[in-house]
Every structure is written in C-alpha cells, then in structure tokens.
Amino acid sequence: MLLDSNAIIYAIKPEFVELRKLIAEHNPAVSAVSYVEVLGYHRLTISDKEDFT
C-alpha cells in the first residue's frame, strides 16, 4: 500500500482513529513526494511535524 499525502494528513487528526488503525495494519510505504507534501502542508503544526519525523 502506498499512502497519499492527504491520507497521511488526515491520519494525524484525532477523529480519524479508524484510518490510523488501517494504516497500522498494512504497514504502508510513503513516497518521497508525499513526505515533502505533508511536511510542507501549511496547516501542519510544529507538533504534527515532530510526529511525522
């Protein structure tokens, strides 16, 4: 499974518990492009960025 940047961004939000479970069950890959898109997302907090790195 290859994760899209939108799925990654939504997964950090508390209300998307089921999405996090799905991701954890499948141990997906993340492309370099998605990684850059997520870390460059303008609404990402410093805390969120720390969670992703």
Side-chain angles (χ1 to χ4, degrees), residues 22-43:
L22 179 69
I23 291 170
E25 289 173 3
H26 290 86
N27 194 22
V30 177
S31 73
V33 172
S34 290
Y35 187 79
V36 170
E37 287 176 342
V38 168
L39 292 180
Y41 180 58
H42 69 284
R43 291 189 180 173

Side-chain angles (χ1 to χ4, degrees), residues 1-49:
M1 176 192 313
L2 180 63
L3 282 182
D4 177 67
S5 57
N6 292 319
I8 298 167
I9 291 167
Y10 279 113
I12 197 73
K13 297 181 180 190
E15 62 268 26
F16 290 97
V17 174
E18 293 300 318
L19 178 57
R20 287 192 299 280
K21 287 180 185 177
L22 179 69
I23 291 170
E25 289 173 3
H26 290 86
N27 194 22
V30 177
S31 73
V33 172
S34 290
Y35 187 79
V36 170
E37 287 176 342
V38 168
L39 292 180
Y41 180 58
H42 69 284
R43 291 189 180 173
L44 207 62
T45 66
I46 292 172
S47 176
D48 292 340
K49 286 183 183 182

